[in-house]
Amino acid sequence: MEDSPRAERREFTVGPELAGERLDQALARLLPERSRAYVKKLLDAGRVTLSGKPAKPALKVREGDQVVVDIPEATPLEAMPEDIPLDVLYEDDDIIVLNKRPGIVAHPSQGHRDGTLVNAPLHHYGDSLSEIGGVLRPGIVHRLDQDTSGCLVAAKTDAAHAALMQQFMERDVEKLYLAITDGVPRPVEGKVEGNIGRRANDRKRHGLLPRGGRHSLTLYRTVENYGLVALVECRLLTGRTHQARVHLAHQGAPVLCDKDYGKREIFTERELRRAVEMFRHGHSAMPSGPAGAVVLDRQALHAWKLAFRHPRSGQELSFEAPIPADMLAVLAPLRDARAAME
């Protein structure tokens, strides 16, 4: 970034609503169309000054301070178009709402340069995608973890992208997830609130921290309780990394097959039979015999419903992505057992 020529200069005067905040936090609010990672790169590259002096991310801003940001010229597009099938829930001239399949990464990153959700829209829509997301994530407004399925919205225009980003920042977007949990949350319904951040002893994992981090809030309720597993609905009122996964683990019921926060990485036919028997008869011993085929081998988390205002018309839109087949494969025998008992 240091060697990139300046493409745009942005100048801001700090208002009372930002006074006292760290510069990096204030800058993220002043540049809502940019990711926090991008803001950090600007600061690290010396492209931000505070009242005419080089700026450090941790500096506290004061009302009346002048912030100047030199945004570099975009580098050539690195994400390449690929003919990857898309499951389109809705599309118009401004937005695309997709049902992301599990296993696909949202956008290129280190180790995932192709085969991502960005490579597919580039093939189908080309230059019509918003450029705000940058060279590696054109059109991407928000993200889902690689092994999380469900609703994801992308923008075709910069105006749509900025408007949607504002809704996400202001928490005007409704996000409902469904999770199959390993165990049942305690209590079975409630809320989890606290600051989420990276764990000091494991930077790849997040957790609820006693200090630092960012505020997070999830409302959850157990929809189907089978004893050893449960179907849980989560309403995410904030959008933090791994939020639903961290919060459900905190309640003693991590997402089934969550490799980072869970109790196991795969769920087999034998384990499913055990869950059915436990639900029907209260027996928890593992059935004898071979483990059988793997029923589930990714975190059972699905972005079920997404609702927001259309960025151009303001119309309220709501979308629902069907529960994927691998999660249904876990639920179906348990639902059948419930029906037989009733």
Side-chain angles (χ1 to χ4, degrees):
M1 181 175 289
E2 293 88 337
D3 299 328
S4 301
R6 189 184 80 213
E8 179 185 5
R9 169 164 284 186
R10 303 283 296 276
E11 300 183 10
F12 306 94
T13 300
V14 175
E17 73 282 358
L18 296 179
E21 287 198 10
R22 286 170 50 111
L23 176 60
D24 52 359
Q25 296 171 342
L27 199 56
R29 294 176 62 182
L30 293 169
L31 296 170
E33 73 278 10
R34 302 288 182 176
S35 69
R36 287 182 176 266
Y38 186 84
V39 167
K40 182 178 185 301
K41 288 180 180 179
L42 291 174
L43 286 160
D44 291 344
R47 290 185 171 271
V48 181
T49 60
L50 182 65
S51 296
K53 297 180 180 179
K56 300 287 186 182
L59 285 175
K60 297 293 180 69
V61 298
R62 298 172 297 182
E63 184 176 356
D65 279 347
Q66 299 297 308
V67 180
V68 177
V69 185
D70 287 331
I71 297 176
E73 202 166 32
T75 55
L77 184 67
E78 296 180 37
M80 300 302 293
E82 293 182 54
D83 189 5
I84 300 171
L86 292 175
D87 184 357
V88 178
L89 299 175
Y90 175 84
E91 178 183 1
D92 61 24
D93 291 340
D94 299 290
I95 61 172
I96 320 156
V97 182
L98 303 171
N99 179 15
K100 175 188 171 298
R101 62 176 172 81
I104 187 169
V105 178
H107 53 76
S109 60
Q110 192 67 33
H112 295 98
R113 307 302 291 182
D114 52 25
T116 76
L117 201 62
V118 161
N119 299 102
L122 281 172
H123 171 81
H124 292 278
Y125 304 103
D127 294 338
S128 65
L129 291 172
S130 156
E131 296 180 356
I132 285 179
V135 297
L136 288 181
R137 54 181 77 182
I140 296 295
V141 178
H142 63 124
R143 64 184 295 273
L144 298 175
D145 292 337
Q146 178 176 354
D147 286 335
T148 298
S149 55
C151 293
L152 185 145
V153 60
K156 288 186 175 181
T157 69
D158 287 354
H161 198 139
L164 288 170
M165 286 285 290
Q166 192 67 27
Q167 290 186 56
F168 274 89
M169 288 186 61
E170 294 177 353
R171 303 179 187 176
D172 285 341
V173 177
E174 181 180 67
K175 297 171 289 185
L176 282 179
Y177 285 62
L178 289 177
I180 300 176
T181 57
D182 205 337
V184 183
R186 291 289 182 264
V188 295
E189 180 174 351
K191 74 175 182 179
V192 188
E193 186 170 15
N195 283 13
I196 282 183
R198 294 185 185 276
R199 297 181 179 181
N201 59 349
D202 186 349
R203 302 295 292 172
K204 292 183 179 181
R205 301 172 69 200
H206 291 69
L208 291 174
L209 307 178
R211 63 182 65 86
R214 302 177 66 194
H215 175 255
S216 63
L217 176 60
T218 299
L219 306 181
Y220 72 90
R221 66 184 184 96
T222 301
V223 180
E224 300 174 23
N225 185 342
Y226 298 108
L228 291 182
V229 298
L231 180 65
V232 179
E233 176 190 285
C234 295
R235 182 181 299 272
L236 274 61
L237 299 182
T238 53
R240 307 306 179 211
T241 301
H242 298 177
Q243 178 172 320
R245 299 163 61 192
V246 169
H247 283 181
L248 288 170
H250 184 73
Q251 298 306 104
V255 176
L256 187 63
C257 297
D258 189 327
K259 297 175 177 61
D260 295 315
Y261 306 101
K263 304 172 184 177
R264 67 189 95 197
E265 295 192 359
I266 62 172
F267 194 65
T268 65
E269 290 177 334
R270 182 171 61 182
E271 290 167 318
L272 181 54
R273 291 196 304 272
R274 179 192 179 205
V276 171
E277 288 302 304
M278 176 66 181
F279 177 63
R280 295 181 62 183
H281 305 299
H283 304 312
S284 61
M286 184 68 75
S288 59
V294 173
V295 181
L296 186 76
D297 61 357
R298 60 100 180 180
Q299 62 206 31
L301 185 63
H302 179 63
W304 179 38
K305 293 183 178 181
L306 180 67
F308 53 87
R309 298 187 310 279
H310 191 278
R312 184 191 298 265
S313 68
Q315 178 186 357
E316 294 286 345
L317 301 176
S318 180
F319 304 97
E320 179 178 325
I323 301 175
D326 56 354
M327 289 177 62
L328 287 176
V330 175
L331 293 173
L334 293 159
R335 289 173 169 175
D336 289 344
R338 181 187 294 278
M341 293 169 65
E342 292 174 348

